[in-house]
Each structure stands twice: as structure tokens, then as C-alpha cells.
Amino acid sequence: MMEFSHDEFISLVIHQTDLKLTSCVKSLLAPFDVTPEQNLVLMEVHKRGGLTQNEIAERLKKDKTNIARMVCQLEQKGFIHRQVDPVDRRSLNVHLTSRGEELRNQTRLVAEDFTQAICSGLTKEQLEQFRMVLATLCDNAHAAVLVSTDKSE
């Protein structure tokens, strides 16, 4: 079996790219007093207002505890508010405040500009192919974990 050097692991390249992109987005969002993760929550709540924290976690594929912490922080900053669900009074639905809507409109422009900047020089076809490659890598990673888990049992 061929041995890989550490710079040949695609997972490492993806991770390093993610760190760089996240760092850039973090610095772009800093003036708005919101983190990249909090901004994702704001974007999801804007897209589908009235979600519960669990639904936000599910849609963003994030840990429920972290989402709860972020929702609390965003509420303290005045960007969102929680309301009791009229159908299930045990649940709280998350909504943007007017301040949150204003912030989301500003950060959306930042995100769009950043996306255009990092995708410059790439065609729509290349971007679509890239998304397909990433989806395949995710599927393969999931399958590899399942196979590994089966072998260890």
C-alpha cells in the first residue's frame, strides 16, 4: 500500500481551506459584532422564521448545545427573539427582530461580495463540479465511517 505524505490528504487540504475562509469571514463580520456561526443562524432564521432551536441545529447540521448558546447570545444582542409556539407550548420559535433583519441585510451583502471574490476566475460549471466533488467526498466519508464501525464490531 502506498504511503501518503501529510500534504496529500484531501481532508487536510479541505480543513486548511475551511480555516482560511472562516478566518476571512470572521474578520469581515467583526464590525457587525457577529461571528460566522451566529451569522449562519441569522441567515437560517431569516429564510425560515419561526424555527425551533432544534430545527436550526438540524438544518445547519450543528450541535444543539452550540445552537442554544448562539441563540441566547443573539437574543442578548437584540438580533432575535424567542416566542412560545402556539401549537406546542413547550417549544420556542426563533424570529429575527427589526435589528436582526437590518443586520442580516448588511451581512448578506458582505457574504455575497466575499463569495464573488473567492469564486472569481471560476466558471459556473467549475463551481457546480466542485460542489459535486465535495458532495461525493462527504458521502464517501460517511460510508467509510460506517464500514470502519462495522469492522470494529
Side-chain angles (χ1 to χ4, degrees):
M1 183 172 173
M2 187 175 92
E3 192 170 313
F4 290 97
S5 68
H6 79 280
D7 59 340
E8 293 177 297
F9 288 106
I10 192 69
S11 58
L12 182 60
V13 173
I14 291 169
H15 178 65
Q16 290 170 334
T17 303
D18 178 54
L19 289 174
K20 179 63 177 174
L21 294 174
T22 301
S23 174
C24 291
V25 171
K26 186 176 180 178
S27 66
L28 291 169
L29 292 175
F32 300 100
D33 190 29
V34 67
T35 67
E37 295 285 321
Q38 290 171 341
N39 194 48
L40 287 175
V41 171
L42 291 172
M43 289 174 17
E44 193 63 33
V45 171
H46 171 79
K47 189 173 16 176
R48 294 180 184 91
L51 295 173
T52 65
Q53 290 176 185
N54 287 345
E55 290 170 327
I56 295 168
E58 194 175 286
R59 291 180 193 276
L60 294 178
K61 296 178 176 50
K62 301 286 182 187
D63 179 75
K64 292 177 185 179
T65 304
N66 287 336
I67 292 295
R69 181 181 38 79
M70 283 188 273
V71 165
C72 186
Q73 291 167 341
L74 289 167
E75 189 171 43
Q76 289 172 351
K77 292 178 182 183
F79 298 137
I80 62 167
H81 66 94
R82 293 181 270 191
Q83 275 183 324
V84 173
D85 185 318
V87 176
D88 179 0
R89 300 199 54 78
R90 297 169 297 165
S91 294
L92 294 173
N93 296 332
V94 180
H95 300 273
L96 292 181
T97 62
S98 57
R99 236 182 117 203
E101 282 288 349
E102 186 179 311
L103 174 69
R104 186 258 169 209
N105 290 335
Q106 293 172 323
T107 60
R108 180 184 55 83
L109 296 174
V110 170
E112 287 173 0
D113 289 347
F114 183 67
T115 299
Q116 282 186 330
I118 65 171
C119 292
S120 69
L122 298 172
T123 65
K124 286 184 180 183
E125 292 78 20
Q126 288 172 316
L127 288 170
E128 185 57 36
Q129 182 67 33
F130 180 64
R131 285 184 179 96
M132 289 170 42
V133 168
L134 288 175
T136 300
L137 289 171
C138 283
D139 291 345
N140 291 347
H142 181 72
V145 168
L146 290 177
V147 168
S148 178
T149 304
D150 288 346
K151 287 180 182 177
S152 66
E153 291 177 355

